[in-house]
Amino acid sequence: MTTATTTPRALDFPLSDVRLGDTSVFQRALVEMLHLARVYPVDRLLAVFRANAGLDTRGALPPGAWEDFGHPAEDAWSEHDYPGREAAQTANLLRGHYAGHFLSMLAMAAAGEADPALRAKTDEFVSGLAEVQAALAATGRYSHPGFLAAYGEWQFSRLEHGAPYGEIWAPYYTCHKIMAGLLDAYELAGNEEALRVATSMGHWVHGRLSRLDDITRQHMWSLYIAGEFGGMNETMARLAVVADEPVFLATARMFDQHDLIAAGAARRDILDGMHANQHLPQLIGYVHEYEATGDRAYLEAAAGLWDQVVPGRMYAHGGTGESEIWGPAGRVAGDIGHRNAETCATYNLLKLSRLLFQHTLDPKYMEYYERGALNHILASRRDVRSDTSPEVAYMFPVHPGALPEFDNIGTCCGGTGLENHVKYQDSVFFRGAAARAELWINPHTSAELTWRAQGLRVVVESALPLASEVRVRVERIDGCLDPVPLTVHVRVPGWVAGAASARIGAEPLALDAKPGRYADVERDWTPGDELVLDLPMSLQAHAAVDDAQVRHLAFGPNVLVARSDSTTWLELALDRRRLLDGTILADDPDPRGSLLSSGAVRVDGIAFEPVWTGSDARYHMYVRSADATIGFAGVDTGVAARRREDDTTILADVWAAPLPRTRSAFVARVLDAVRRGHAEGLLGLGEARTVLLGAMEVDAAALRATAENAPDLGPAQEWLEQTADAEDAASVPIVEILTPEPASSGWHTSPPRIGVRATAGPSSVDDVEVRVGERDWRAYDGAFSIEVEGSVRVEARATAAGRTGFAARTLHIDTSPPTTEARVKTLGSSVEITFVARDDVSGAERVQWAGPGTFWATFQEAFVRALTDEEQIIEYAATDRAGNEEPRRRLVLPARPPG
């Protein structure tokens, strides 16, 4: 019998035993995805499979996009009779993957909701796939009767010969999704036929791979996207257990990528330039292989590679990757592009995190889980109902003025998105593997557990993510009032600001955990006992690991995004709002009250709201910290925060790590900063004294300083006395760069004319210089226009009596519209049209088009247009992120040829 050799230290509960509370913020996405699960026809999902097997499609159209019928001339070629890339017209080479995800969603939803109708729909889907598998086997064309796909077997044989992405498209990825859906249907919905179909597919997979040598397999898995196999190792390891066939574990190990395992286990970073979601599912499989074999290298590899992603390659909402590729380690701000954070990658990081937690009990994995589930996954579901689309995001980018790529029928993220929103309850509770009753609770949302083995019901009423109180109530299912011995481990999140508190009834309870750890409550619980936690939260601004001035705002677990039509960086005064505990003062005195009442909190005049609302409005997840004047605890001294040529200021010196915690340490830090600033010419002596006095006037309570016996402000007072009668040789010049207002996008769409103004109090300014980009400094002799395009840094400096003032501004300039290429593929009596827009400066925002009988619409994906007896005119044009519009262009479709 095939059984796991290594059991997790914390076990999960069946989806059917945990339900989200009615007040959970995750209910929004759950309800809408359950609607899609109930109304979407199974026949549409089976259409591509039936067409491939020569079965009646029952008039059903496939979902569309990546999940379509393919080219009419394409045959269901076997492994040997593919006519070659030049002769074969192929399309939709990933078809079948979306259906596999949909089957997983149905099984999860059927289990989680205990819904007979969803269970029946799952059974209908499995029966359809079994019929297709039998029909394919009956042809005798394929290498094993277990073959099941929506295209021929040729993609697999071409992969074995090194075919690149473009000729083929990740055939084992699609295989994995179909098999995973079948296994979910068996394990979650109890469908025995699903196990038979999956087992037969498993034998087909083993037959294909076992005839190859290891060198060939390693080359296959190294191929970009073509060799992407999803979680085939996970699925084969699962199948080995449930089908009790050891050969499948050997098959799972055939998907091992040796260099990846070795690097992860050795903590050697090799991720730069790799496709994130090609490799993340493998890591999940490695944990399953560890469970099945006991080979700890698998677990070490998965954990080691996880550490290379979180936090050094993780954006604020938990996403990773730019254009699906990992950048260098420790670079986040520097890796912000226009297509960050593929949602599939976060889907897999969450699956990996919960598995690693179960084996290690390390709370860092659940810290990430909370972040990613709330701020990326929930946010990835648009707040709208649809009968046809998952309405989920592909990329959830983080650049200024970003828009999530919603909809995604038939795409990879459309597929994982189907699953994401019907299993939010899967990581609220875990139970101990030992005999004694032990429960881990992650209180990020309201949920209820029915723990039949212990006869318990555990109810979590969580006001998170916007309010701090969490209540955990223990009840008996049978109504018995006898006490129950139970150890409860409740996660105290790392975002907790200040001291978390707890009580049971009126009795205070000492928590034995710091933020980011689990608090252990071991006692005999009387039914009805309620543990009440208060997890205080505050508004904070967190710097990117590679750029202290690039920050995201968060309130407790909520990543906040600014709503603005600008597509350039927003610059906010953040440092003069800082307190010693990390809190940022908002414009609103009660940020939580503002979030609860209006859904947003204002900071420096900009409205910020939680990213998870499902809004499709433009947003800014990161902003730049840029204070014009120096201040502390929200009190402005009025002294200019002049910048050095490396762009740092006095405030950067004050808030350099490690942060001061007491009022004495804070004042001492400010003293050092103003003395350095005066020596460098950033501050006049009077200005330095003003700044220091301002710091000394802020009391400990306003700073939220750590308690100390008696603040020692003596050194600061001594310096003030020493400089009381001193005179400045001259004032430091104040330099201003004057620019016209940009468009609402934040871009200048015509060449901006730049001026410089420099003043030095009673002194006269000796000279003023300017520099544009990387050019040399030159004397400023009057206003000038900038003719170059892109994000252009303009610097100016002025000298007065040997003291130099400095200023810099970055201008975003794009004066040219984008250009669009119309790509037309002939399909006999119709054509497939794709529009590709290019803008090398601000980036293309959208393409719009119209034709006979259509309105001016936004282009989403390739579409097919039937030829008619007359020419057709298709008009199209693109708009860039700066707001420049391309003149309308025309595409002429010829009349249909006679006959």
Side-chain angles (χ1 to χ4, degrees):
M1 182 175 182
T2 305
T3 59
T5 64
T6 304
T7 303
R9 298 169 65 186
L11 306 176
D12 52 14
F13 289 93
L15 289 173
S16 57
D17 289 352
V18 184
R19 294 188 64 84
L20 289 183
D22 292 339
T23 61
S24 170
V25 295
F26 297 102
Q27 281 282 5
R28 167 185 71 79
L30 170 63
V31 168
E32 298 303 347
M33 201 57 81
L34 287 173
H35 171 77
L36 181 67
R38 292 182 172 115
V39 303
Y40 199 84
V42 167
D43 283 343
R44 293 196 64 182
L45 297 158
L46 289 170
V48 291
F49 291 92
R50 286 171 171 158
N52 187 59
L55 299 175
D56 182 6
T57 61
R58 305 181 185 182
L61 293 175
W66 299 2
E67 193 78 6
D68 215 331
F69 281 133
H71 194 279
E74 183 179 343
D75 192 6
W77 295 297
S78 72
E79 62 175 330
H80 299 302
D81 55 14
Y82 172 61
R85 186 175 185 178
E86 299 304 319
Q89 293 177 311
T90 57
N92 302 109
L93 295 179
L94 212 65
R95 60 187 181 271
H97 78 107
Y98 187 76
H101 284 295
F102 209 107
L103 180 55
S104 287
M105 176 184 69
L106 286 176
M108 292 172 186
E113 300 301 307
D115 187 330
L118 288 172
R119 191 176 299 273
K121 197 166 186 176
T122 304
D123 294 343
E124 178 191 357
F125 201 159
V126 171
S127 293
L129 290 174
E131 180 188 18
V132 168
Q133 188 182 53
L136 292 171
T139 68
R141 300 180 68 184
Y142 305 105
S143 64
H144 186 281
F147 176 72
L148 173 58
Y151 44 73
E153 197 174 3
W154 65 275
Q155 286 203 69
F156 297 91
S157 60
R158 292 300 301 136
L159 173 62
E160 294 163 8
H161 289 85
Y165 171 51
E167 180 179 351
I168 64 172
W169 190 353
Y172 278 105
Y173 176 95
T174 303
C175 180
H176 164 241
K177 303 312 173 188
I178 298 167
M179 293 187 71
L182 290 164
L183 280 179
D184 287 336
Y186 169 69
E187 293 184 310
L188 300 176
N191 187 294
E192 296 285 345
E193 187 175 34
L195 179 59
R196 291 194 292 273
V197 175
T199 300
S200 190
M201 286 187 74
H203 285 297
W204 167 78
V205 173
H206 180 78
R208 286 220 70 91
L209 294 182
S210 61
R211 64 190 186 184
L212 305 174
D213 58 40
D214 185 62
I215 293 175
T216 300
R217 291 194 296 260
Q218 292 303 302
H219 178 65
M220 287 162 57
W221 311 145
S222 72
L223 294 172
Y224 173 75
I225 294 185
E228 182 177 356
F229 59 75
M232 277 302 302
N233 52 349
E234 172 199 1
T235 292
M236 297 307 299
R238 287 173 62 191
L239 187 60
V241 174
V242 298
D244 191 20
E245 295 205 29
V247 70
F248 292 147
L249 179 56
T251 312
R253 302 185 77 165
M254 293 176 188
F255 289 96
D256 290 356
Q257 198 164 348
H258 304 324
D259 58 347
L260 195 67
I261 294 172
R267 300 300 199 268
R268 178 167 45 87
D269 195 315
I270 62 167
L271 298 186
D272 187 13
M274 295 179 73
H275 186 284
N277 204 54
Q278 180 163 346
H279 299 290
L280 281 170
Q282 294 175 242
L283 310 187
I284 299 165
Y286 294 152
V287 180
H288 282 274
E289 290 181 77
Y290 163 66
E291 293 175 352
T293 66
D295 185 345
R296 194 165 180 85
Y298 285 122
L299 183 66
E300 293 296 332
L305 293 165
W306 188 97
D307 285 337
Q308 293 170 23
V309 178
V310 182
R313 290 181 171 93
M314 181 195 74
Y315 302 110
H317 59 348
T320 187
E322 157 60 14
S323 291
E324 306 186 11
I325 304 298
W326 276 312
R331 194 174 80 176
V332 173
D335 206 40
I336 292 176
H338 285 173
R339 299 200 74 235
N340 288 114
E342 184 185 11
T343 303
C344 281
T346 300
Y347 158 90
N348 281 305
L349 268 172
L350 293 181
K351 289 181 66 175
L352 177 61
S353 296
R354 69 191 303 272
L355 280 172
L356 291 174
F357 169 75
Q358 289 179 261
H359 282 282
T360 67
L361 302 183
D362 191 328
K364 71 181 181 183
Y365 298 117
M366 285 296 104
E367 288 284 299
Y368 173 79
Y369 197 96
E370 177 184 51
R371 176 187 294 268
L374 178 66
N375 296 297
H376 189 163
I377 297 304
L378 178 58
S380 73
R381 183 44 166 92
R382 180 157 36 187
D383 188 14
V384 67
R385 173 160 293 193
S386 175
D387 292 352
T388 58
S389 170
E391 291 294 349
V392 295
Y394 192 119
M395 295 294 182
F396 206 101
V398 300
H399 61 272
L403 289 168
E405 298 178 6
F406 282 130
D407 186 19
N408 287 294
I409 295 171
T411 70
C412 55
C413 292
T416 54
L418 294 168
E419 300 179 37
N420 277 330
H421 307 286
V422 296
K423 60 184 181 72
Y424 282 116
Q425 73 269 42
D426 71 351
S427 297
V428 179
F429 303 100
F430 293 94
R431 58 189 174 90
R436 64 192 181 95
E438 198 170 9
L439 185 68
W440 282 265
I441 300 177
N442 299 296
H444 54 266
T445 194
S446 296
E448 180 178 311
L449 165 67
T450 301
W451 194 356
R452 292 178 177 83
Q454 297 293 334
L456 297 177
R457 179 177 294 107
V458 181
V459 180
V460 175
E461 295 177 353
S462 177
L464 299 175
L466 291 176
S468 61
E469 186 176 83
V470 176
R471 293 175 176 267
V472 179
R473 187 170 65 255
V474 177
E475 302 171 349
R476 290 286 291 265
I477 295 174
D478 58 10
C480 176
L481 298 180
D482 292 342
V484 179
L486 173 65
T487 300
V488 173
H489 310 277
V490 181
R491 188 171 60 85
V492 179
W495 47 256
V496 167
S501 63
R503 60 181 172 85
I504 295 182
E507 175 189 353
L509 189 68
L511 292 180
D512 59 353
K514 296 179 180 179
R517 313 299 296 177
Y518 282 86
D520 304 328
V521 183
E522 185 175 2
R523 59 182 278 125
D524 290 343
W525 295 75
T526 299
D529 276 356
E530 189 171 64
L531 169 65
V532 181
L533 295 168
D534 185 66
L535 305 173
M537 57 185 74
S538 69
L539 182 67
Q540 307 226 348
H542 302 283
V545 294
D546 55 333
D547 189 337
Q549 301 311 306
V550 173
R551 302 181 191 174
H552 77 270
L553 268 62
F555 183 74
N558 308 276
V559 171
L560 304 179
V561 291
R563 295 297 181 186
S564 169
D565 288 335
S566 171
T567 57
T568 60
W569 284 94
L570 299 179
E571 296 188 343
L572 277 67
L574 295 178
D575 279 341
R576 68 171 182 256
R577 299 170 175 271
R578 291 181 69 162
L579 307 181
L580 297 188
D581 66 351
T583 295
I584 294 290
L585 296 176
D587 300 354
D588 315 313
D590 178 13
R592 181 175 67 179
S594 297
L595 286 166
L596 289 170
S597 62
S598 67
V601 59
R602 300 188 74 82
V603 179
D604 205 17
I606 301 292
F608 285 81
E609 66 180 44
V611 69
W612 44 257
T613 61
S615 169
D616 55 9
R618 199 176 295 280
Y619 61 90
H620 294 247
M621 189 172 296
Y622 288 98
V623 298
R624 289 193 184 277
S625 177
D627 291 79
T629 55
I630 299 171
F632 307 109
V635 178
D636 191 359
T637 68
V639 175
R642 300 182 185 89
R643 296 188 174 275
R644 304 179 179 94
E645 293 197 28
D646 67 358
D647 229 20
T648 60
T649 68
I650 298 297
L651 284 169
D653 300 340
V654 172
W655 295 111
L659 297 179
R661 294 298 183 187
T662 65
R663 185 176 176 226
S664 296
F666 168 72
V667 171
R669 178 71 67 83
V670 176
L671 173 59
D672 289 343
V674 299
R675 292 173 70 174
R676 176 190 172 189
H678 177 58
E680 293 176 327
L682 291 180
L683 296 172
L685 187 58
E687 292 174 323
R689 289 170 56 84
T690 298
V691 171
L692 182 58
L693 284 167
M696 295 172 68
E697 288 171 0
V698 183
D699 63 27
L703 285 168
R704 295 193 185 171
T706 302
E708 57 185 332
N709 293 329
D712 180 12
L713 308 183
Q717 291 172 343
E718 290 175 13
W719 186 81
L720 288 171
E721 291 170 1
Q722 292 168 4
T723 58
D725 298 326
E727 295 184 1
D728 269 332
S731 299
V732 178
I734 296 175
V735 183
E736 300 172 86
I737 297 174
L738 310 175
T739 66
E741 283 294 315
S744 61
S745 63
W747 290 83
H748 294 274
T749 55
S750 60
R753 194 161 178 80
I754 309 302
V756 178
R757 181 165 58 207
T759 57
S763 304
S764 60
V765 175
D766 297 327
D767 57 2
V768 180
E769 295 178 296
V770 294
R771 180 167 68 177
V772 177
E774 298 298 319
R775 298 176 183 174
D776 293 336
W777 287 96
R778 66 172 179 84
Y780 174 70
D781 54 8
F784 60 97
S785 295
I786 298 181
E787 301 297 337
V788 296
E789 303 215 336
S791 294
V792 182
R793 182 176 170 88
V794 179
E795 300 168 289
R797 63 189 182 192
T799 304
R803 312 295 293 275
T804 300
F806 177 82
R809 292 190 68 173
T810 298
L811 306 181
H812 307 280
I813 307 167
D814 185 354
T815 64
S816 302
T819 57
T820 306
E821 175 191 358
R823 298 177 181 174
V824 181
K825 181 187 295 185
T826 301
L827 305 175
S829 62
S830 61
V831 295
E832 180 184 270
I833 301 172
T834 302
F835 295 119
V836 179
R838 178 172 178 175
D839 187 287
D840 294 333
V841 184
S842 62
E845 178 72 25
R846 65 182 181 275
V847 178
Q848 293 173 286
W849 71 281
T854 64
F855 58 90
W856 191 243
T858 299
F859 172 74
Q860 298 287 350
E861 60 199 16
F863 61 93
V864 174
R865 191 87 177 177
L867 300 179
T868 65
D869 293 335
E870 298 179 352
E871 286 187 349
Q872 299 179 66
I873 305 297
I874 306 292
E875 292 191 317
Y876 59 96
T879 303
D880 63 24
R881 289 167 51 80
N884 297 304
E885 296 183 7
E886 178 185 27
R888 288 197 183 190
R889 306 179 68 183
R890 290 159 59 93
L891 171 66
V892 179
L893 301 183
R896 180 173 50 210

